[in-house]
Amino acid sequence: MLQQNQNEQVSEVQVGSQPQRIGWKLARAWCEYSPDTTRKRQAEYEQQPQNVDLPELQPKNKKKPFPVPIKKMVQDARRDKRLAQMRIEKPLEAPKNGLLVPELVPVAYEVLDNWKVLIRGLSQLLNVVTVYGCRKCPQVHVGPVGHEIQDCYGSGSQRRNSHHSWARGSINDVLIPIESYHLFDPFGRRVKHETRFDYDRIPAIVELCIQAGVDLPQYPSRRRTSPVRMIGKKVIRRGKVVDEPKPHRSEDCVSLLAELDTFSNQQGQSPSPSNVKELAESTLKAYLNVRRGVEQLMSKYTVKACGYCSEVHVGPWGHNVKLCGAFKHQWRDGKHGWQDAVIDEVIPPNYVWHVPDPSGPPLRSSLRSFYGKAPAVVELCVQAGAAIPDEYRPMMRTDIVIPDSEEARWAA
């Protein structure tokens, strides 16, 4: 008798007048699927994704979503109201009670130093890398020539087939200026609509650093030695009211504004850099350090943002200036709808199209699904010679090969 293998089967078939024994082997197929392998591959992709979409644009006819869940806000409000009804003082920790956080004072100084390096570097890099801004819409493009993507929604866009009307841009197109009122005492009198001209408008990042412990003689700030006490929403002890000292209007103030404000650093006023690549790397590093430091300061210090427009206020509560012209401002008498701010409202990323090859042809609408995007500061520094940061590489889609116009039709 023939010995058959475990994976071999034998059967008899009728061939002519004699039965024949035919055998065949069964191939053993092993399934490579396992839950552990799938989880490992998913974790590797999350650590190094190849493609990341930008956050969705919020419609202008709706209020911005709250960064803090509404359920948690309602719970905190009910707890504070319950304590106020029992006449129990609200427990406040620094800096909610007006005192400084000692461990965040060096962070504030570091953020301000990096902010100066960022503004100085961008003003010099604009002499090397060209920036364009559309005359009809807020879109910005970084590159030798403007792109040809038809996504303009400004006035007269139908006559231009949604093509942009490009003009030479400035540092304010790359780093969108977000200003805030400078307050000598954040827990003092609120800024009213009638007294809005009595306060200086400075960059919100600078005001955040001042309230976090940075001392600037041009912009004094009150440093409390005793904490603020509150019952509910009512302040029962804030110390005596101190009149704000007059700021120093001298040459030192003008030079400080030139270092801190983007309006004083327009294109053509700064000299061209000698080592472009080194300057681009230091500028990009300063930008990342500023975002990291501001996010750390905002975890403790209160920054408010309007839920309808781009107004930002640094302090425990928002101001009462009636200058909001956004959605349904008539219902609010022009007042802002204050809520907790996020990092992108204090430092707007201002996403622009990523140009893989600045010396190549301009970007086209037929290939827009293959192009990536990046913040304008990152794109400017990358085109100047800096290395692409790892956190922005998936967003810029550096691993995607851009096909030709004829090949794009066959791409999945």
Side-chain angles (χ1 to χ4, degrees):
M1 180 179 291
L2 296 176
Q3 294 183 355
Q4 302 296 333
N5 195 355
Q6 184 179 0
N7 295 334
E8 185 178 353
Q9 295 183 1
V10 180
S11 63
E12 294 185 355
V13 297
Q14 188 74 16
V15 180
S17 60
Q18 299 294 332
Q20 301 289 335
R21 296 173 61 88
I22 299 178
W24 65 89
K25 292 185 178 181
L26 295 176
R28 179 177 296 178
W30 294 93
C31 182
E32 297 181 357
Y33 171 79
S34 64
D36 296 338
T37 305
T38 305
R39 285 194 224 100
K40 184 178 179 181
R41 291 180 178 177
Q42 183 68 18
E44 292 177 355
Y45 177 77
E46 291 177 356
Q47 292 178 359
Q48 297 180 353
Q50 294 182 350
N51 183 11
V52 173
D53 294 331
L54 297 181
E56 296 182 0
L57 294 178
Q58 298 296 332
K60 294 184 178 181
N61 58 350
K62 291 184 179 179
K63 193 176 186 294
K64 301 175 186 176
F66 291 100
V68 180
I70 299 180
K71 185 177 180 180
K72 185 177 184 304
M73 295 171 57
V74 172
Q75 291 177 354
D76 295 343
R78 289 177 177 175
R79 183 179 63 253
D80 295 342
K81 184 178 180 180
R82 195 180 306 111
L83 293 177
Q85 292 175 350
M86 294 185 295
R87 304 297 299 174
I88 299 177
E89 184 178 341
K90 183 193 298 187
L92 297 176
E93 298 180 356
K96 306 296 182 181
N97 56 3
L99 303 180
L100 294 178
V101 182
E103 56 267 19
L104 290 182
V105 175
V107 178
Y109 275 96
E110 184 180 358
V111 170
L112 191 63
D113 293 339
N114 285 282
W115 179 252
K116 296 178 182 179
V117 173
L118 175 61
I119 294 179
R120 192 185 315 116
L122 289 178
S123 61
Q124 296 181 11
L125 290 176
L126 285 176
N127 297 324
V128 180
V129 181
T130 309
V131 175
Y132 291 96
C134 183
R135 297 185 183 95
K136 305 298 181 180
C137 73
Q139 190 163 146
V140 178
H141 180 70
V142 180
V145 294
H147 65 73
E148 298 178 357
I149 299 177
Q150 298 169 288
D151 57 353
C152 182
Y153 55 87
S155 60
S157 59
Q158 295 180 355
R159 297 192 304 268
R160 293 177 279 107
N161 293 329
S162 299
H163 284 285
H164 292 277
S165 178
W166 296 116
R168 198 68 178 266
S170 63
I171 187 175
N172 289 330
D173 296 317
V174 179
L175 195 63
I176 298 179
I178 299 296
E179 294 186 340
S180 174
Y181 288 104
H182 169 62
L183 302 179
F184 172 71
D185 185 6
F187 291 86
R189 300 186 182 95
R190 285 196 182 187
V191 182
K192 298 182 180 180
H193 187 77
E194 298 78 13
T195 61
R196 64 186 184 277
F197 297 110
D198 299 337
Y199 301 88
D200 293 331
R201 296 277 291 182
I202 61 176
I205 294 178
V206 179
E207 176 64 18
L208 178 61
C209 294
I210 292 175
Q211 294 190 18
V214 174
D215 292 325
L216 296 178
Q218 295 83 355
Y219 300 103
S221 181
R222 183 179 181 180
R223 307 302 182 193
R224 297 180 180 273
T225 56
S226 58
V228 175
R229 299 171 57 188
M230 297 180 61
I231 293 181
K233 296 183 179 180
K234 183 179 180 181
V235 180
I236 61 175
R237 178 182 175 184
R238 73 178 71 191
K240 62 179 181 179
V241 178
V242 180
D243 295 333
E244 182 176 355
K246 299 297 180 181
H248 297 80
R249 299 300 181 186
S250 60
E251 296 181 357
D252 296 337
C253 185
V254 176
S255 61
L256 180 65
L257 286 176
E259 294 180 355
L260 301 179
D261 202 342
T262 57
F263 289 101
S264 302
N265 290 270
Q266 299 298 328
Q267 181 181 358
Q269 298 182 358
S270 300
S272 298
S274 56
N275 192 342
V276 178
K277 183 177 180 180
E278 183 178 354
L279 178 62
E281 292 178 351
S282 61
T283 304
L284 183 56
K285 182 180 179 181
Y287 174 72
L288 299 178
N289 291 336
V290 166
R291 287 188 62 90
R292 194 178 302 110
V294 169
E295 192 172 6
Q296 189 174 357
L297 293 177
M298 290 178 61
S299 63
K300 291 291 186 180
Y301 290 87
T302 305
V303 180
K304 297 293 184 179
C306 180
Y308 302 93
C309 67
S310 59
E311 179 70 11
V312 170
H313 183 78
V314 183
W317 41 70
H319 58 73
N320 291 333
V321 179
K322 305 176 183 180
L323 291 179
C324 184
F327 177 65
K328 292 185 178 180
H329 62 91
Q330 301 90 344
W331 293 12
R332 294 174 276 111
D333 194 18
K335 293 183 180 180
H336 297 281
W338 297 114
Q339 62 187 38
D340 291 336
V342 296
I343 181 66
D344 287 343
E345 293 174 323
V346 181
I347 311 178
N350 191 18
Y351 292 105
V352 299
W353 291 102
H354 171 57
V355 182
D357 185 11
S359 59
L363 307 183
R364 291 167 288 182
S365 292
S366 58
L367 302 176
R368 61 180 300 173
S369 59
F370 299 95
Y371 299 135
K373 282 193 174 185
V377 178
V378 178
E379 180 66 19
L380 178 66
C381 296
V382 168
Q383 291 192 23
I388 301 177
D390 294 336
E391 56 265 32
Y392 294 105
R393 189 177 296 275
M395 189 179 301
M396 301 170 74
R397 301 185 179 181
T398 56
D399 296 334
I400 296 179
V401 178
I402 300 178
D404 296 335
S405 298
E406 298 180 356
E407 296 176 350
R409 298 181 302 167
W410 307 102

